[in-house]
């Protein structure tokens, strides 16, 4: 069908009007991108994007990601015009409490929103993850007779996104991997929030991307709809094996002469000129206006899109009939995995005399789990040899093997986490990724968004304490576990021994409403062999459980997590029969238990409590109370072998005994 520029030009004016009205009504928001990129939206949602507003999660839709999420009214306007379940009333309720049009687009909240992109640059990383997921799906599920996956991922980003380091980490990865189903549209308006962009950047973007193995097109006029469509069509049809960049030179805030093309056009500065701008755009006095002609066009376009969907659906049903095994594998993406099944029937028990680092135990757990969950993928930031999370029965994902389950992210921890979010948003594969725990500081912004968006990403982060040893304080994460525990909805599990590690993996894989971080040791730890393996595994699912039960009237409770549980156990054996030891691998899980369960583990009547953990002490106070004591490390570490560092910093059974006796 020929591009209908006349009616789409009207749609551009009306989309601009919706943005002006919404930002003016809420007295907050960003007008720059919705006005400056309106023609890009018209071409995408009015012609080029393959999607179905009635089936927002259609498997073979094109994925559109607004990385510049502050320009959310761009997305809300075009979703509304396209016929998604987003009413004009919701558009008018922009940034109103509990509306479907929050300040930045949020996954789950608004139909048609693919990602909670949040901070600038995240959406580019998410888009790379979506594109990688698409390539994996093509390799696993397409057949010579039936193509059910051939979608594109189209990301719209601005100067702010392009300046963020996470974006370039992901861009480098995409270029190296040759993700030619990825189209990045750079809304290049030469403006950032504070000033014109030349105050902070001077690189040649086209040459930079070409050097990173991308194809590049530049549109001198990013408002020319015919040129935009030509560039998108060329990008979609490419056979170069490279991701595609379209640099679109646009005018920020276009339609409000007083601020357009300046940094004042970025935010809501133009809203005070709303009446004059609306009049100049040819809009009537009625606010949130969409003409019958524009509605008629998009209704007709929606019918065309549904015909494309129906044709795909016939292919899909034929594919299912011809490939029941592949169909069952695809359906398994929706399975709710039982942790009980994994710990009872999938993960073998460890020998009673085993003494392993929990990272090594994690390696042994991952192999049978990966066999049982074939859509689980595993990546590492250039540390597979240390994080030990390589799926041994499989190979690497790369340009020659799109079916590989092991991902080599390079030294790109932030990009790795943002890409993993993209895979999780797509919902076909279960992403896990790994690095040293101290580098969680590099990936934390994407981890926070995973928690906010309830994405089931699994982080296998090792070298979890001063037990790292000789690498010293720069690599000893004394504050990191606590810093991650305070992120809402991020389940941080620090297992004490190999059997708890089995329970931790099972807990992570069972969870579908948020991410889980497994904090694993570099150093070997003994099995808590006085406790049945089944109790240790199941105890992790509850967040805390009794490792040593007192055999006399209860006098003290010793609490710990991870490798330091062994010192609580050793201390208890010297303190006497009235001492209980509690392992607390997961604060989030324990806090979610019933009061009855929590009180059964930590009886309120016993106020003599000591916690020990090789890290900062603050969070343990909620368990030990005002009367208790915490043995920890409220300072940075030191360079020495791990066992010596622990002893020097007071992480010993003797320190626990002293603290207990002082109560």
């Amino acid at each position: 069908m020929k591009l209908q520029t006349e009616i789409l030009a009207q749609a551009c004016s009306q989309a601009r009007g919706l943005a002006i009205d919404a930002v003016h009504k809420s007295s907050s928001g960003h007008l720059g991108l919705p006005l400056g990129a309106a023609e890009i939206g018209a071409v995408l949602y009015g012609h080029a994007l393959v999607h179905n507003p009635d089936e927002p999660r259609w498997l073979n839709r094109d994925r559109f990601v607004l990385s510049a999420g502050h320009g959310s009214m761009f997305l809300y306007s075009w979703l509304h015009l396209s016929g998604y379940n987003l009413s004009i009333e919701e558009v008018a309720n922009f940034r109103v409490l509990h509306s479907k049009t929050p300040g930045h687009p949020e996954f789950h909240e608004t139909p048609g929103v693919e990602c909670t992109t949040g901070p600038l640059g995240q959406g580019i990383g998410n888009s790379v993850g979506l594109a990688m997921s698409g390539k994996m799906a093509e390799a696993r599920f397409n057949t010579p007779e039936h193509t059910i996956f051939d979608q594109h991922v189209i990301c719209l980003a601005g100067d702010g996104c392009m300046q963020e380091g996470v974006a370039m980490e992901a861009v480098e990865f995409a270029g190296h991997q040759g993700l030619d189903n990825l189209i990045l549209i750079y809304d290049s308006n030469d403006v950032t929030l504070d000033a014109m962009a030349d105050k902070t950047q001077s690189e040649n973007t086209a040459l930079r991307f070409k050097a990173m193995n991308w194809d590049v097109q530049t549109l001198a006029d990013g408002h020319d709809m015919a040129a935009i469509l030509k560039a998108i069509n060329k990008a979609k049809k490419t056979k170069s094996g490279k991701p595609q960049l379209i640099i679109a030179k646009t005018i920020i805030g276009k339609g409000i002469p007083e601020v357009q093309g300046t940094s004042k056009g970025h935010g809501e500065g133009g809203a005070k000129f709303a009446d004059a701008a609306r009049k100049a755009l040819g809009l009537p006095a009625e606010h949130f206006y969409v003409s019958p002609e524009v509605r008629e066009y998009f209704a007709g376009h929606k019918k065309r899109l549904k015909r494309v969907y129906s044709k795909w659906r016939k292919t899909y049903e034929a594919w299912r009939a011809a490939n029941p095994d592949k169909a069952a594998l695809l359906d398994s993406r929706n399975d709710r995995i039982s942790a009980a099944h994994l710990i009872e029937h999938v993960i073998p028990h460890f020998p009673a005399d085993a003494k392993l680092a929990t990272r090594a135990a994690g390696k042994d757990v991952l192999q049978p789990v990966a066999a049982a969950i074939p859509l689980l993928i595993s990546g590492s930031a250039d540390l597979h040899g240390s994080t030990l999370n390589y799926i041994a029965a499989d190979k690497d994902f790369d340009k020659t093997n799109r079916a590989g389950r092991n991902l080599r992210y390079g030294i790109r921890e932030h990009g790795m986490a943002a890409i993993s979010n993209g895979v999780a948003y797509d919902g076909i594969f279960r992403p896990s990724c790994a690095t040293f725990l101290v580098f969680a500081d590099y990936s934390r912004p994407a981890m926070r968004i995973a928690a906010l968006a309830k994405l089931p990403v699994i982080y296998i982060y090792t070298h979890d304490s001063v037990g790292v040893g000789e690498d010293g304080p720069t690599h000893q994460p004394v504050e990191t576990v606590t810093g991650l525990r305070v992120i809402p909805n991020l389940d941080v599990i620090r297992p004490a021994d190999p059997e708890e590690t089995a329970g931790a993996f099972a807990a992570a894989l069972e969870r579908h409403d948020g991410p889980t971080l497994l904090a694993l040791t570099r150093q070997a730890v003994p099995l808590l062999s006085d406790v049945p393996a089944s109790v240790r595994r199941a105890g992790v699912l509850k967040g805390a459980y009794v490792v040593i039960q007192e055999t006399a009237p209860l006098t003290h409770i010793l609490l710990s997590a991870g490798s330091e549980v062994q010192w609580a156990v050793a201390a208890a054996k010297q303190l006497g029969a009235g001492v209980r030891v509690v392992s607390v691998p997961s604060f989030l899980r324990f806090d979610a238990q019933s009061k009855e369960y929590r009180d059964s583990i930590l009886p309120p009547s016993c106020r003599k409590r000591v916690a020990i953990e090789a890290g900062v002490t603050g969070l343990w106070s909620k368990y030990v109370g005002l009367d208790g004591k915490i043995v920890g490390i409220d300072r940075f570490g030191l360079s020495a072998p791990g066992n010596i560092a622990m002893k020097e910093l007071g992480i010993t059974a003797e320190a626990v005994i002293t603290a207990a006796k002082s109560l």
Side-chain angles (χ1 to χ4, degrees):
M1 178 180 171
K2 185 179 179 182
L3 183 67
Q4 303 296 301
T5 54
E6 184 175 344
I7 191 65
L8 289 177
Q10 294 180 41
C12 285
S13 294
Q14 291 166 28
R16 288 185 169 105
L18 293 177
I20 291 170
D21 289 342
V23 171
H24 185 266
K25 181 173 180 282
S26 69
S27 298
S28 71
H30 298 263
L31 283 172
L33 183 142
L35 273 62
E39 285 80 10
I40 294 171
V43 172
L44 287 172
Y45 282 94
H47 190 96
L49 202 67
V50 178
H51 64 125
N52 181 358
D54 289 343
E55 294 286 346
R57 298 292 292 171
W58 169 30
L59 284 172
N60 200 42
R61 70 196 181 281
D62 285 344
R63 278 73 165 161
F64 175 77
V65 177
L66 182 63
S67 186
H70 58 274
S72 55
M73 269 309 304
F74 169 93
L75 186 52
Y76 299 148
S77 296
W78 293 110
L79 291 176
H80 170 70
L81 292 174
S82 297
Y84 282 82
N85 182 23
L86 190 67
S87 68
I88 196 67
E89 290 77 18
E90 289 288 357
V91 174
N93 282 334
F94 177 57
R95 295 195 166 203
V96 171
L97 180 65
H98 302 314
S99 75
K100 290 185 180 180
T101 49
H104 287 68
E106 294 183 35
F107 187 60
H108 296 308
E109 297 298 320
T110 311
V113 170
E114 298 284 357
C115 306
T116 302
T117 49
L120 293 175
Q122 289 291 327
I124 293 178
N126 299 161
S127 298
V128 173
L130 288 164
M132 184 173 72
S133 178
K135 288 295 185 184
M136 289 179 166
E138 288 177 16
R140 280 170 178 76
F141 301 112
N142 287 353
T143 67
E145 297 78 21
H146 303 102
T147 297
I148 62 166
F149 287 103
D150 63 352
Q151 76 273 16
H152 286 82
V153 179
I154 302 174
C155 177
L156 180 60
D159 289 288
C161 293
M162 301 288 268
Q163 287 190 7
E164 290 286 0
V166 62
M168 289 305 107
E169 289 184 24
V171 162
E172 290 169 353
F173 179 84
H176 178 73
Q177 293 290 349
L179 301 179
D180 56 10
N181 57 341
L182 173 61
I183 302 170
L184 174 58
I185 302 175
Y186 172 22
D187 175 30
S188 179
N189 53 41
D190 299 323
V191 172
T192 59
L193 192 152
D194 265 355
M196 300 305 290
D198 62 6
K199 294 288 186 181
T200 55
Q201 64 186 36
S202 56
E203 74 271 12
N204 185 316
T205 301
L207 290 180
R208 185 182 189 186
F209 272 70
K210 287 177 181 178
M212 291 187 289
N213 199 42
W214 284 61
D215 284 335
V216 180
Q217 301 177 67
T218 300
L219 303 181
D221 181 359
H223 305 287
D224 181 338
M225 287 189 280
I228 294 167
L229 178 59
K230 182 178 179 181
I232 291 171
N233 285 341
K234 181 178 179 181
K236 279 194 166 188
K237 293 175 182 177
T238 181
K239 303 296 182 184
S240 68
K242 299 178 181 181
Q244 304 292 303
L245 174 68
I246 300 172
I247 302 173
K249 302 301 296 183
T250 61
I251 300 172
I252 194 169
K254 182 176 172 61
I256 306 181
E258 292 84 352
V259 300
Q260 69 180 36
T262 74
S263 60
K264 292 180 180 178
H266 179 87
E268 71 268 17
K272 61 185 177 182
F273 306 107
D275 292 340
R278 296 180 82 263
K279 186 175 181 180
L281 289 168
L283 299 173
E286 176 188 345
H287 288 273
F288 298 101
Y289 173 78
V290 180
S291 69
E293 294 80 9
V294 167
R295 292 213 180 276
E296 182 181 359
Y297 173 80
F298 276 95
H301 185 55
K302 185 176 179 179
K303 289 180 181 178
R304 291 187 288 273
L305 292 170
K306 290 176 75 171
R307 287 196 290 271
V308 173
Y309 169 77
S310 295
K311 182 178 179 181
W312 174 87
R313 188 78 200 183
K314 290 179 181 178
T315 301
Y316 177 67
E317 295 299 340
W319 169 84
R320 290 187 67 88
N323 302 278
D325 291 345
K326 289 182 181 293
L329 177 60
L330 182 58
D331 291 346
S332 72
R333 74 191 187 281
N334 297 318
D335 289 350
R336 289 297 178 259
I337 301 155
S338 163
H341 173 75
L342 291 174
I343 60 180
E344 292 171 14
H345 302 293
V346 174
I347 306 170
H349 288 291
F350 290 87
D353 59 349
K355 188 172 183 179
L356 295 171
T358 53
R359 62 170 175 154
K363 174 185 177 181
D364 293 341
V365 171
L366 177 63
Q367 308 313 317
V369 162
I373 306 171
L375 296 182
L376 175 68
I377 60 175
S378 185
S380 187
D382 200 48
L383 286 170
H384 274 123
S386 294
T387 52
L388 305 182
N389 65 310
Y390 196 89
I391 299 174
D394 217 299
K395 297 180 180 178
D396 292 349
F397 169 89
D398 58 31
K399 286 184 281 190
T400 65
N401 180 31
R402 297 303 194 191
R405 297 168 69 187
N406 294 292
L407 302 162
R408 296 187 183 274
Y409 285 108
I411 306 89
R412 303 184 180 103
E413 295 90 354
H414 197 176
M416 172 181 73
I419 291 167
S420 297
N421 284 359
V423 174
Y425 283 124
D426 210 29
I428 297 172
F429 300 94
R430 184 69 184 273
S432 67
C433 60
T435 185
F436 291 163
L437 183 62
V438 76
F439 300 143
D441 288 339
Y442 283 1
S443 56
R444 183 185 174 107
M447 299 165 74
R448 178 181 182 272
I449 293 295
L452 189 157
K454 301 180 180 179
L455 302 177
V457 181
I458 300 171
Y459 309 102
I460 303 170
Y461 282 17
T462 68
H463 296 56
D464 70 336
S465 72
V466 296
V468 168
E470 292 89 340
D471 279 338
T474 62
H475 282 55
Q476 293 170 350
V478 292
E479 82 290 0
T480 310
V481 168
T482 290
L484 294 170
R485 283 174 178 151
V486 300
I487 297 177
N489 200 41
L490 172 61
D491 187 13
V492 178
I493 306 180
R494 193 163 176 253
D497 80 343
E499 296 295 357
E500 279 199 14
T501 304
F505 271 80
L509 288 161
E510 182 182 58
R511 190 171 191 225
H512 286 269
D513 60 353
T516 302
L517 182 139
L518 308 179
L520 306 179
T521 68
R522 177 197 183 194
Q523 73 275 20
V525 294
L527 264 75
L528 304 174
S529 51
D530 291 341
V531 185
S534 60
V535 173
R536 280 173 276 163
R537 293 181 174 202
V540 174
L541 306 184
K542 295 283 192 179
Y545 69 102
V546 175
V547 173
I548 291 183
Q549 184 74 50
E550 68 279 5
T551 56
L554 181 61
T555 61
H556 295 77
I557 301 175
L558 310 181
L559 304 93
S560 190
S563 58
E564 294 78 69
V565 172
Q566 63 180 304
W567 306 127
V569 170
K573 291 179 178 179
Q574 296 185 53
L575 285 169
V579 178
R580 174 183 295 192
V581 176
V582 174
S583 175
V584 193
S586 168
F587 286 21
L588 184 79
R589 286 177 172 270
F590 184 54
D591 292 348
Q593 301 305 313
S594 67
K595 185 176 185 300
E596 290 74 18
Y597 181 80
R598 286 182 279 119
D599 287 351
S600 73
I601 302 299
L602 301 176
S605 59
C606 182
R607 300 180 62 156
K608 292 183 177 181
R609 304 179 183 186
V610 178
I612 177 171
E613 187 173 42
V616 296
T617 55
L619 286 188
W620 283 98
S621 60
K622 66 178 178 178
Y623 297 137
V624 302
L626 295 175
D627 299 333
K629 291 199 171 182
I630 306 167
V631 177
I633 306 173
D634 287 313
R635 52 155 287 182
F636 290 111
L638 43 82
S639 182
N643 60 333
I644 295 174
M646 286 279 195
K647 186 174 182 179
E648 179 71 14
L649 294 167
I651 305 302
T652 63
E654 290 73 24
V656 176
I657 293 168
T658 299
K661 287 181 176 179
S662 73
L663 294 175

